[in-house]
């Protein structure tokens, strides 16, 4: 995902939309922070004797990864719409526009 984000950053800088990249980067960091808080909470729970269900933990982290992937994919679609702005033959990803 890091290489995709770097490519998106370069493409968005060319389009003068670095703010979209930063917003996405901040959102992904917030999700990582949530995962870290959850990990700490689960550690405290385990120390206090609460049984941790591994399958639920795996589902939680898988869901967070899916959300992060969806956010990056949405940024890619947005960038594609920005790059094809004004192209009458291009089928937009977002009918309501990107600006």
């Amino acid at each position: 995902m890091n290489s995709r984000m770097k490519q998106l950053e370069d493409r968005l800088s060319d389009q003068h939309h670095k703010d979209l990249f930063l917003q996405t980067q901040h959102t992904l960091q917030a999700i990582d922070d949530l995962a870290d808080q959850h990990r700490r909470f689960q550690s405290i729970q385990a120390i206090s004797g609460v049984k941790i269900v591994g399958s639920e933990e795996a589902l939680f982290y898988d869901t967070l990864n899916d959300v992060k992937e969806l956010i990056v994919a949405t940024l890619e679609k947005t960038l594609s719409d920005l790059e094809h702005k004004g192209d009458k033959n291009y089928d937009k990803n977002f009918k309501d526009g990107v600006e």
Side-chain angles (χ1 to χ4, degrees):
M1 186 176 294
N2 290 335
S3 63
R4 284 174 59 199
M5 288 298 291
K6 179 63 177 147
Q7 290 172 350
L8 287 170
E9 179 181 20
D10 294 341
R11 289 172 57 194
L12 283 164
S13 293
D14 293 344
Q15 292 286 328
H16 306 292
H17 289 287
K18 179 105 175 173
D19 54 335
L20 290 174
F21 173 76
L22 291 174
Q23 190 275 333
T24 302
Q25 193 174 34
H26 293 162
T27 302
L28 295 175
Q29 183 59 50
I31 292 170
D32 288 341
D33 293 345
L34 176 67
D36 189 52
Q37 289 174 353
H38 178 77
R39 182 188 54 77
R40 287 188 212 167
F41 177 73
Q42 291 300 88
S43 297
I44 291 169
Q45 292 286 77
I47 290 171
S48 66
V50 175
K51 180 158 174 47
I52 305 301
V53 180
S55 60
E56 290 179 6
E57 289 301 299
L59 178 62
F60 175 77
Y61 288 107
D62 287 345
T63 302
L64 289 184
N65 286 332
D66 290 346
V67 168
K68 288 169 59 174
E69 179 63 35
L70 184 61
I71 290 169
V72 173
T74 303
L75 180 62
E76 289 172 338
K77 289 178 183 178
T78 303
L79 179 55
S80 180
D81 280 2
L82 284 170
E83 290 175 336
H84 292 95
K85 191 174 177 183
D87 184 355
K88 294 178 184 177
N89 298 320
Y90 177 73
D91 189 25
K92 296 179 185 178
N93 293 302
F94 303 104
K95 302 299 181 198
D96 58 345
V98 290
E99 294 213 33

